[in-house]
Amino acid sequence: MPTVKERLSGGTFKHVEGELYYFHETKKELRQIKDGVLHTKANLPNVQRVQHLERVVEAISSVYDELPKEKKRLVKILYWTRPQQYNWEGIANQVPISKRQAQRWRKSIVEDIANRLGWR
């Protein structure tokens, strides 16, 4: 029997979006921490941070990898293009889809990532 999807709180939605915006920086930070841990043999204060970063990177990567190319394009334009030069109409035109469809895709992608992270 299918389960009813819980609605994400606004705070959780924004938090997941923040993780998406800074995904590449998070991957870089994770590499740097791991390199530091490897050189110092166990920097214990970083263990929880590393675990958190790994979970976030894995969740975003796995959701992104499963997306069709049009949705990947939306993610790239919306979250990973800096400076952001498009409003919703412009983003939708770049994909190309309707503004409303772009917003629905965004919501679905963010919810999928939140589900992978267990952030409900």
Side-chain angles (χ1 to χ4, degrees), residues 25-108:
E25 289 84 353
T26 300
K27 284 175 49 175
K28 181 179 176 182
E29 180 183 350
L30 182 58
R31 274 193 309 274
Q32 290 172 342
I33 290 172
K34 284 185 169 186
D35 287 348
V37 168
L38 291 174
H39 293 112
T40 62
K41 297 287 183 209
N43 192 351
L44 293 178
N46 286 332
V47 171
Q48 286 184 330
R49 178 77 179 148
V50 168
Q51 289 172 341
H52 169 74
L53 295 175
E54 286 175 336
R55 287 184 63 232
V56 168
V57 167
E58 173 58 31
I60 292 173
S61 295
S62 62
V63 169
Y64 180 79
D65 290 346
E66 294 170 7
L67 294 174
K69 67 180 181 176
E70 296 84 7
K71 289 184 180 183
K72 285 181 179 179
R73 183 155 171 74
L74 175 74
V75 170
K76 286 178 186 175
I77 294 167
L78 181 59
Y79 297 110
W80 300 338
T81 300
R82 295 194 185 131
Q84 181 54 259
Q85 47 190 306
Y86 300 110
N87 60 18
W88 273 110
E89 291 291 337
I91 291 168
N93 288 335
Q94 292 296 309
V95 174
I97 54 175
S98 71
K99 173 185 167 184
R100 184 67 192 122
Q101 186 64 43
Q103 291 170 330
R104 279 194 292 267
W105 285 2
R106 166 190 171 230
K107 181 177 184 263
S108 174

